[in-house]
Each structure stands twice: as structure tokens, then as C-alpha cells.
Amino acid sequence: MYGKIHKCVKELVLSKFGQDAWNKVMIEANFDETKDFLMFKSYDDEKTFQLITAACKVSGLPLETVLEVFGQTWLKFCMDNGYEEMLRTLGGDFTSFVQNLDALHAHLSRTYTKLNYPSFRCETNNDGTLTLHYYSKRSGLYYIVLGVIPQIASVLYNQKATITVDSREKQDIENGILDDHVIFTVKLSKSNGNTSLNNIEDDCVNEHNKELVCIRPTFPKQTIIQAKHFCNIFPYHLIFDENFVIKQCGSMIQILLKTKMERGSSLTSLFDLTYPRVDFTLTNLMAFINSAFVMTSVKKRNGHSLVLKGQMRWMPDISHMIFISSPCISSLQELKAMDLYISDIPLYDVTRELILLNQQRMAEMEIAKKLDETTADLTKMSKALEIEKNKTDELLHEMLPTKVATELLAGRTVDAEKFENVTILFSDIVTFTNIASACTPMDIVNLLNNLYQRFDNLTTVHNVYKVETIGDAYMVVSGVPTRTNSHAENVANFSLDMVNEAGKVQSPATGESIQIRVGFHSGSVVAGVVGLKMPRYCLFGDTVNTSSRMESHGIPARVHASPQSAKLLIDKGYVFRDRGKNKIKGKGLMSTYILINRSGQTYEEPDDAFCKLPLAKTVDMDIEIEVLPDKTHEDKTNEDKTNEDKPNEDRTNEDKTNELKERSKSQIQSPIIDKPVERPKSRSVIVTRPIPISRRHQPLQKQNSSTCMLS
């Protein structure tokens, strides 16, 4: 069956059951939208039945009902796809329409060469009903007729048709091939007072020509044309008697078959009846007298049989049958294969025009078929492109915040923006350098991948944005790019959970749970997209540096918080331990805090010396900055010599680890990661907050030996 059937089934399911049902049908039938719905492609019957069976399963309707509804949909589908005028002009009444269906199918078979169409024959009964004979090589599809016949009567002839099945049998139509023969009774209601069922010989005034005057033709008593002239004028005719003995034959039939027809030649020995699909008997010819007949020659010429299509007419006065026909040729290729020329076809025969017209039609159909296939390929490529585009968009959304990525995809620039209230968190793995030196690179990749996947899942849970990872450093922020008043709470919750998750990951070097240092700080930052080729969303400001200091001066398996963050959280159910004043690189002495718990949840503290620190009741916001006098060149030289002479053994592993981290991160040149390098204790603290020029040479109020207090 052709793809038009599949298209019609699709329209049926969509109109009756909706898109969701059709999606289920596609899955159940294992159909491809781009390959299995080509209008001009012929598919195996099994594939079409597979689609119909899936529609039955999804809809929950029996096969008979689905086929009947398909018949109702089929007429509308054909009319919507360019066949409306052809169908409306096929017959002046319902009976004529049905009688000419076979001729229409035969015409369409020239275009759709693999069309295996059914046959219809209609008889008028004395009670005004119609007996409809349906023949098909496909068994069980007669339910379609039950749906399409009432639609034809209603849509084309404004009549109501009631159709019932009288009988069904398997009939040997041709060479032992069994056809499904179903007999229906059709009852039509009157339309405008006339059913238009009478034969023209009984009523010469047709429904659509009431004003025409009935004129009865006259005929001569005898023919005045000689048989020779008749055979030349009608070169493709045959006259035979009840026993199929040929009495007269057209000239071109004899030339093409290279057989001299003599009186007494048998028609059945020269031709086979191809259509209708019935045995070649006089009874069958009389039963299908209103149908077009197709006969194929037994003898072939150049490997091709002569196919004649025409009309049978019984002449009761002489008990002979006349068959007036034309060569059934649909293309110039067939004409050439038969060694025929257009001039061999009579001028009055429309076969001339049909060959040329069909040749053009076939060329257009070939173009339409290629266009259909190309459209299907483009649709498939478009879907694949859409999938790849979505992947690209998802990747961009992973690299950049959704708000920023959307603006960039729209072709708009993203200006840098200042955020007054944000909280930034840093974390790193304790003794990561030692772990990396004791494991293979693949082990390190697996370790970080396992750990960061856990952290990534937590970012969604706690509504924080992952800025980036560099080596073992992990950075998140809340309040950027979407402003929120709960930025500190989000990061605090995230930090406690990430410490717990890190404990579930084992070190490939020792097999023990790894530990991380976590630190966060609250303040203001400037955020913006940096770069064009590989754009990155970066954060700038002292808040970034302070957050990094909280992590680098943190404690394994602990969450280290700045006083600014602790002040935002201490009154909201979060529990801190007061770590006291600590010398923070670039900051001086700061009061820092260890987050240990939050309201409603209990986290187990590590068993270390910091468990004895008191719980914080208030937050000390003071920062003491140590200011050193400018060093002379000689002082710097002496200090460098001292450091060179100091053995490496005096430096702890932690000092070495931090220095390696600082060195590797300086090579990456990140604008937002600023990790400290722990120097030997003999080195002095560097002042990071500049002193105003007006105060630079003024003496400071001395608090202790080397520090001053700034708020």
C-alpha cells in the first residue's frame, strides 16, 4: 500500500484521539516519521497492517471499527489532496459513480504502478435498492466499504445511504486465486424527491438535465460501410460469438500479433482476460458488462504483450459480442517497446493525448517523489540539527548562568554588573598534592569526577551557582547572577552537605575518606562575561580574595566562615564556634568562625582540638591590619639569604602543598582564584589594604607591637 494510506491513518488518529495517542501508535508500530509516510512510495501490506493494529491497540477499538472509521476518513482525505474535482465528476448519480470506480482505479494505476485496487460492480434491484459487489485480493478489508459508501452518498450526492452485508465468500476469480467477494445491499434515501437510479434507456430525462427534450435516435436498416473499411477505421476491435469464435478483427491487432485472423480463430487462445478478475466466460462478461475490460495477448512481441482496454457490448439480434478497444499504453517507453508509433493510434482515440499527458504526469510524479524523499531527509536532518543545537545550548547553560546564556544566544551583549550582597565559597582537598603524587592520572580524574558530581547535585538542591573548578579547587556563589536575600543561608547549607558528601569518597592512595577545607565570605562583587572565543562568567572584587583566604586558612573537614557571613547567619539558627582572631594573609588579624550545625539538622563534628572552642554568641567584625615600614634594598637581600639558607625540612607538608597549589594556579591565571602560599614564619605579613596618601607618613595609634585597628 502507498504512503497515502499511512498519512490517512495519521489524520484519523490525530483527529479522533489526539497527539499523545499518535505518539503511542508510532512507538507501538515502530514507525519512522521521515521514512514511513512518503506519499508516492509503496510499502508492504504487512507494514500498513502493523500501523493499523497499533492504532487499534492504542485506541482500544476492534479492528472492524477502526477500518470503518478509516473508510469515513478516506473520502475526505482524497478530496483534500487534490482529487475532489475528479471524484465529483466521476458520475452523475451514486450508481454511475460506483460503476466508474474501476475505471478511475485503472487510470490511477498508470501513475501508481504498484496499485492493487479492489473491484466494484453495482446492480439495481426492483425495490429501488442496490446490490453492490466488492472483490478484493486483500481479505477482511470490506469494513472500509461500510464506512466509505455512506460518505460518498452524503458528501457527493446529498443522500443518506444505509449499507448492510448480505454475504461473504471466497471466490475463484482467476487461475485458482481466491478473492474476497462481499455482497452489500445499499438503500438510498430520496434527495429532492428523486433517487436518480433509473437507467437512461428507461428515463431519458436525467436529474441534472430536466429541461432537455427527449430525442430518440433513428438507425438505418442496414449498414452501408464495408467490413474492410470498418476494420481500418476501428483497428483495435473484435467481434466474437457465444463460443468466443472470432468473426471480425481490426487491422492493427493482426499486424501487432503477426497473426492472420481467419474465421474460426478462438479468442481465448489469443487473449487472456486481465480485468475484471473473472473467468473468461460469457456469463461473467454479461455480469460485468458495464465495466471496462482489459485483455492481454498470449503471444508477445519484443518481450511485451499487447494489452487492449475497451468496452464490451452485446448485440442480441445476432448473438455476438463486440469489443471496441485501444492499446493500453501509459508511456512513450511502452509505446517504443511495442514497436508502435503515435500515428498507429487513430486520430479520434484519446489514447494519443493520454500517452503524452501521462508521460508528463510521470515526470512530475518522479519529481514529486524525489521532493517527498528530499523533504523527509531535510526533516530528519532538521530534527538532528535541533538535537545538536539543544546539546550546544545545554552546554552553554552549563558554562554560563541561564540568564547570561539566554542573552548571548539572542545575540545581545551582557554588561558587567555589580552585586552588593553575595556569598562566595571555596573548597579544596586536603593533601591533594600527596594524593596526586601517589596515584595515576586516571585515578585522580576518577576521584575528582566522583567528588564533583556529588557537589554538582548539591548546587541544584541549594540554589547556588557553580562558578568553576581548577584542579581540586571548587567555587560556588549565591546571589549571582540571580539576586537573593538568602545567599548566605544557601551557601551555608551547601557547605555543610558538601563536607558530608566528601566523606563518602575514598582516596585512591590510602582508601580512606578524603577531607576538604571549606571557607566562605559575604560581600559585594562585580560579575561579567570575559572573552569571546571561550567566554567565561567571572567574579571580581575583594570578596573573592577574602573567600579564598577563608578556605586556605581553614581546617580539614571544617567550614570556615568570615565574620561578615557569620553575622548574617548567627541569628537564623546556624551554630558557630568562635575561632578567635587569626592572622589572615593580606588581611591581618580577623575574628573567624567555624560553622558546625544548622537548625533542624545535626552534623557530626570531627574529633579534633577545635571541638573545645566555645560557641559563638556574637560576631566580632573588627579587623587588625599590620603595617610594616618600607624595607631597604639591603634588608631584602639579607632576608632572601636567610630564606635560601633555611633547609626545606623545616617547612611542613602543608606549606609545600599550598605553595604548589599557588604556583599551579598562577600558571592558569584565573581571575577569581587567589589561594595563599604559606611562607616560612620568618617572613613578614604583607599589607593588602593601601593606606591613604594623607595618612601614609603619619604615626599610627599603636595597639600592640606591630598592628593597628581598622573598622
Side-chain angles (χ1 to χ4, degrees):
M1 297 184 184
Y2 278 86
K4 291 181 181 291
I5 302 293
H6 298 176
K7 286 277 190 180
C8 185
V9 173
K10 179 180 179 179
E11 287 194 8
L12 165 63
V13 176
L14 288 175
S15 61
K16 300 293 184 181
F17 305 102
Q19 184 65 48
D20 291 341
W22 175 245
N23 294 338
K24 294 179 182 178
V25 171
M26 290 287 291
I27 296 174
E28 181 69 27
N30 194 23
F31 262 48
D32 188 334
E33 190 75 39
T34 58
K35 295 181 180 179
D36 299 326
F37 293 89
L38 301 179
M39 298 280 279
F40 304 104
K41 182 177 179 180
S42 178
Y43 298 91
D44 293 337
D45 288 355
E46 290 77 8
K47 194 168 189 64
T48 304
F49 290 139
Q50 184 178 344
L51 180 63
I52 296 176
T53 302
C56 295
K57 184 175 181 179
V58 172
S59 64
L61 299 175
L63 176 63
E64 296 81 2
T65 303
V66 172
L67 291 177
E68 185 173 345
V69 177
F70 172 82
Q72 299 171 2
T73 309
W74 178 243
L75 178 66
K76 181 180 183 300
F77 178 83
C78 292
M79 296 179 70
D80 292 342
N81 284 271
Y83 294 95
E84 181 174 2
E85 293 298 324
M86 183 183 295
L87 293 173
R88 290 192 180 277
T89 57
L90 191 60
D93 53 50
F94 179 83
T95 307
S96 301
F97 180 92
V98 175
Q99 292 286 32
N100 285 279
L101 273 178
D102 287 1
L104 174 61
H105 287 150
H107 171 71
L108 293 176
S109 66
R110 296 189 174 196
T111 301
Y112 301 94
T113 55
K114 296 183 180 181
L115 185 65
N116 186 5
Y117 53 89
S119 177
F120 294 89
R121 180 166 60 89
C122 198
E123 300 173 352
T124 303
N125 302 322
N126 295 330
D127 59 356
T129 60
L130 301 176
T131 298
L132 177 63
H133 296 265
Y134 163 82
Y135 303 89
S136 176
K137 291 184 178 181
R138 297 185 177 98
S139 179
L141 297 185
Y142 66 92
Y143 293 100
I144 298 177
V145 181
L146 295 175
V148 73
I149 289 298
Q151 286 295 108
I152 292 173
S154 174
V155 175
L156 299 182
Y157 300 103
N158 195 26
Q159 291 179 313
K160 182 179 179 181
T162 304
I163 181 171
T164 56
V165 179
D166 285 350
S167 64
R168 180 191 177 196
E169 63 180 356
K170 293 290 184 179
Q171 186 171 343
D172 188 356
I173 299 296
E174 179 185 7
N175 299 328
I177 299 176
L178 297 178
D179 274 17
D180 201 12
H181 179 203
V182 183
I183 301 177
F184 303 92
T185 297
V186 181
K187 183 177 181 181
L188 297 172
S189 63
K190 294 183 178 181
S191 175
N192 297 328
N194 195 331
T195 58
S196 230
L197 298 178
N198 294 329
N199 194 298
I200 190 172
E201 294 182 359
D202 299 328
D203 187 356
C204 61
V205 181
N206 283 331
E207 181 67 20
H208 58 283
N209 281 327
K210 290 184 177 181
E211 296 181 357
L212 292 180
V213 179
C214 182
I215 301 177
R216 297 188 179 276
T218 60
F219 304 99
K221 294 182 180 180
Q222 61 182 9
T223 59
I224 59 176
I225 187 174
Q226 296 181 4
K228 176 181 178 180
H229 296 309
F230 189 90
C231 290
N232 287 330
I233 295 173
F234 300 98
Y236 299 99
H237 83 279
L238 286 165
I239 298 177
F240 54 93
D241 61 12
E242 297 173 332
N243 298 317
F244 292 91
V245 176
I246 297 176
K247 301 297 183 179
Q248 186 172 304
C249 179
S251 57
M252 285 303 299
I253 294 179
Q254 300 180 55
I255 294 173
L256 293 176
L257 294 181
K258 295 182 178 180
T259 301
K260 188 176 181 180
M261 295 294 178
E262 298 179 353
R263 297 179 66 87
S265 299
S266 174
L267 177 64
T268 54
S269 64
L270 297 175
F271 289 92
D272 292 328
L273 182 62
T274 305
Y275 187 84
R277 294 188 295 269
V278 294
D279 290 336
F280 208 168
T281 63
L282 186 62
T283 303
N284 287 337
L285 296 184
M286 295 296 290
F288 289 87
I289 198 66
N290 291 323
S291 301
F293 288 83
V294 179
M295 295 197 305
T296 304
S297 65
V298 177
K299 187 176 181 180
K300 295 184 178 181
R301 181 179 182 181
N302 298 331
H304 294 272
S305 299
L306 174 63
V307 181
L308 299 176
K309 180 181 179 181
Q311 179 183 4
M312 297 280 186
R313 192 73 176 182
W314 177 250
M315 297 177 288
D317 53 337
I318 59 174
S319 297
H320 280 61
M321 185 78 75
I322 183 171
F323 177 56
I324 301 177
S325 64
S326 300
C328 190
I329 298 174
S330 58
S331 65
L332 295 177
Q333 288 76 14
E334 293 182 16
L335 190 72
K336 186 177 180 180
M338 288 294 300
D339 200 14
L340 277 173
Y341 298 90
I342 292 181
S343 59
D344 294 328
I345 301 174
L347 292 174
Y348 61 81
D349 197 337
V350 296
T351 304
R352 284 170 166 251
E353 287 75 17
L354 287 177
I355 293 174
L356 297 176
L357 182 63
N358 194 61
Q359 184 70 23
Q360 180 181 357
R361 173 65 174 164
M362 289 177 64
E364 294 175 352
M365 287 288 293
E366 188 65 26
I367 295 174
K369 182 179 179 181
K370 291 182 179 179
L371 180 61
D372 203 10
E373 294 173 351
T374 303
T375 302
D377 291 339
L378 288 176
T379 302
K380 185 177 180 180
M381 292 175 62
S382 177
K383 290 182 178 180
L385 181 62
E386 186 67 22
I387 293 174
E388 295 302 321
K389 180 180 179 298
N390 291 336
K391 290 181 180 179
T392 304
D393 293 347
E394 290 175 3
L395 180 60
L396 184 61
H397 282 80
E398 291 292 333
M399 297 173 59
L400 299 172
T402 303
K403 175 183 175 182
V404 176
T406 303
E407 292 295 312
L408 292 178
L409 288 173
R412 294 185 289 267
T413 59
V414 181
D415 297 329
E417 201 172 355
K418 184 174 182 180
F419 297 84
E420 295 293 344
N421 300 301
V422 303
T423 299
I424 299 175
L425 175 146
F426 282 92
S427 74
D428 73 344
I429 301 175
V430 178
T431 67
F432 178 73
T433 304
N434 296 337
I435 296 174
S437 62
C439 302
T440 64
M442 189 58 67
D443 290 334
I444 298 303
V445 171
N446 293 334
L447 167 67
L448 294 178
N449 189 44
N450 184 11
L451 183 65
Y452 289 165
Q453 282 184 1
R454 295 171 182 270
F455 291 172
D456 291 345
N457 293 334
L458 292 177
T459 60
T460 304
V461 175
H462 297 294
N463 192 26
V464 297
Y465 173 66
K466 175 184 175 182
V467 180
E468 63 180 347
T469 59
I470 298 179
D472 64 320
Y474 194 92
M475 176 184 179
V476 299
V477 61
S478 181
V480 175
T482 303
R483 291 176 170 83
T484 176
N485 293 327
S486 59
H487 55 91
E489 295 96 304
N490 294 340
V491 171
N493 296 336
F494 175 80
S495 64
L496 291 172
D497 285 345
M498 73 184 304
V499 171
N500 281 344
E501 286 296 321
K504 300 176 183 177
V505 179
Q506 282 73 39
S507 168
T510 63
E512 298 178 356
S513 299
I514 66 172
Q515 291 182 325
I516 62 173
R517 272 186 300 264
V518 181
F520 62 88
H521 171 65
S522 301
S524 62
V525 296
V526 173
V529 178
V530 177
L532 295 176
K533 187 174 182 180
M534 292 186 64
R536 297 180 66 183
Y537 191 69
C538 300
L539 308 180
F540 302 91
D542 187 63
T543 302
V544 179
N545 296 327
T546 305
S547 301
S548 178
R549 296 291 182 262
M550 290 298 101
E551 176 269 319
S552 61
H553 293 81
I555 307 162
R558 293 282 191 176
V559 179
H560 195 203
S562 70
Q564 288 79 2
S565 297
K567 184 176 181 180
L568 295 173
L569 296 170
I570 198 167
D571 294 331
K572 297 181 179 180
Y574 291 85
V575 182
F576 292 89
R577 291 195 182 276
D578 190 347
R579 193 182 179 188
K581 291 187 179 296
N582 294 275
K583 186 179 292 185
I584 306 299
K585 179 183 176 182
K587 295 296 178 182
L589 292 178
M590 290 179 60
S591 296
T592 59
Y593 302 85
I594 300 174
L595 177 63
I596 62 173
N597 208 341
R598 70 169 179 251
S599 178
Q601 294 194 11
T602 302
Y603 291 88
E604 184 178 353
E605 285 191 78
D607 187 11
D608 54 21
F610 297 94
C611 291
K612 299 178 181 179
L613 292 177
L615 297 179
K617 302 298 183 181
T618 60
V619 176
D620 184 4
M621 301 295 293
D622 292 337
I623 301 177
E624 299 180 9
I625 299 181
E626 182 178 8
V627 180
L628 299 178
D630 294 337
K631 295 181 181 180
T632 64
H633 178 71
E634 183 178 355
D635 295 334
K636 294 181 180 179
T637 303
N638 294 332
E639 184 178 352
D640 292 339
K641 289 181 179 180
T642 302
N643 290 333
E644 290 175 359
D645 295 337
K646 186 172 182 177
N648 290 334
E649 287 76 13
D650 292 344
R651 301 171 63 200
T652 63
N653 288 334
E654 195 69 10
D655 295 333
K656 295 177 182 178
T657 300
N658 290 333
E659 184 173 336
L660 286 174
K661 286 182 181 179
E662 183 69 22
R663 187 181 304 165
S664 64
K665 291 171 184 175
S666 64
Q667 293 173 355
I668 298 175
Q669 297 180 354
S670 168
I672 58 176
I673 302 292
D674 186 12
K675 304 293 286 297
V677 178
E678 297 292 340
R679 303 297 184 184
K681 295 182 179 180
S682 60
R683 299 294 296 270
S684 301
V685 178
I686 301 174
V687 178
T688 59
R689 176 177 292 181
I691 304 300
I693 295 176
S694 59
R695 298 177 53 197
R696 189 167 296 175
H697 300 290
Q698 298 178 7
L700 298 176
Q701 182 178 356
K702 196 170 184 180
Q703 297 292 329
N704 52 40
S705 60
S706 62
T707 61
C708 67
M709 184 70 67
L710 293 178
S711 59

